[in-house]
């Protein structure tokens, strides 16, 4: 069954918020994610190996966890987490359980240096996501390919290294009924 023909997941339950951090040898610390996790009880999707991420392994982990989710989910992804979201959504009928995604500063794994460090992540999935999304960053072409609303990173950097209130305000778009 393809994502396009999957039956829509309908639930009136409040969605869970899942954090999909960056990974790999160039991974950036994401302090705002840790703060959101502590302050709001959002769940971090743990991966087997953060330093040597394998797209297939990461995707399988997201799939098995999402299939077991009792209700709708909102994804908050950073760096490689954004690419994981797009690749997984292009292949999984379980994407119907995702109410929306906040995609922050997607990694550019098609750069020559990064392509060698992260084998298997390139080329990036460029299919339209089957759920609403907001891409925060300097990637308007990628936002267009994914069908995401594009918000320039410069417009929402207030406290980006802190609690990142502007980002949390964007997340609320997906949490409203």
């Amino acid at each position: 069954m393809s994502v396009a023909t999957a039956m829509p997941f309908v639930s009136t339950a409040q969605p869970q918020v899942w954090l999909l951090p960056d990974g790999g040898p160039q991974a950036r610390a994401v302090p705002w994610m840790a703060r959101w996790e502590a302050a709001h009880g959002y769940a971090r999707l743990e991966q087997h190996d953060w330093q040597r991420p394998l797209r297939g392994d990461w995707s399988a982990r997201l799939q098995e966890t999402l299939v077991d989710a009792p209700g709708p989910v909102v994804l908050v992804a950073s760096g490689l987490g954004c690419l994981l979201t797009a690749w997984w959504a292009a292949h999984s009928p379980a994407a119907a359980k995702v109410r929306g995604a906040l995609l922050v500063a997607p990694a550019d794994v098609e750069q020559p240096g990064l392509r060698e460090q992260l084998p298997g992540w390139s080329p990036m999935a460029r299919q339209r996501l089957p759920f609403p999304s907001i891409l925060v960053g300097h990637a308007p072409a990628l936002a267009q390919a994914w069908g995401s609303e594009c918000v320039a990173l410069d417009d929402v950097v207030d406290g980006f290294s802190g609690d990142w209130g502007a980002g949390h305000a964007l997340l609320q778009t997906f949490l409203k009924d």
Side-chain angles (χ1 to χ4, degrees):
M1 178 186 297
S2 74
V3 173
T5 60
M7 294 299 296
F9 176 79
V10 179
S11 174
T12 58
Q14 180 67 16
Q16 295 178 339
V17 175
W18 289 3
L19 306 174
L20 308 177
D22 200 0
Q26 304 254 332
R28 301 174 304 275
V30 187
W32 57 267
M33 273 192 171
R35 288 187 173 97
W36 288 11
E37 185 178 7
H40 306 288
Y42 301 155
R44 179 185 306 248
L45 184 69
E46 292 298 330
Q47 294 291 352
H48 173 69
D49 189 342
W50 290 106
Q51 294 305 309
R52 282 176 252 110
L54 300 174
R55 183 174 67 180
D57 289 352
W58 278 30
S59 184
R61 175 73 175 131
L62 178 56
Q63 175 70 14
E64 68 189 18
T65 307
L66 196 91
V67 165
D68 292 339
V73 172
V74 172
L75 302 176
V76 178
S78 177
L80 275 182
C82 299
L83 305 186
L84 167 66
T85 299
W87 193 85
W88 168 83
H91 297 90
S92 176
K97 289 179 96 171
V98 176
R99 184 180 281 184
L102 179 62
L103 308 167
V104 182
D108 184 358
V109 295
E110 294 177 351
Q111 294 178 54
L114 206 47
R115 188 176 327 141
E116 285 82 37
Q117 289 181 338
L118 297 167
W121 285 87
S122 180
M124 294 189 292
R126 294 185 186 275
Q127 296 91 338
R128 185 173 191 81
L129 297 176
F131 42 77
S133 58
I134 299 171
L135 187 150
V136 179
H138 300 294
L142 195 53
Q144 183 176 16
W146 289 345
S148 302
E149 176 185 342
C150 189
V151 176
L153 192 57
D154 298 339
D155 294 342
V156 290
V157 293
D158 73 311
F160 193 69
S161 61
D163 291 338
W164 195 37
H168 201 258
L170 290 172
L171 173 62
Q172 300 312 303
T173 303
F174 305 117
L175 299 178
K176 297 175 185 171
D177 285 331

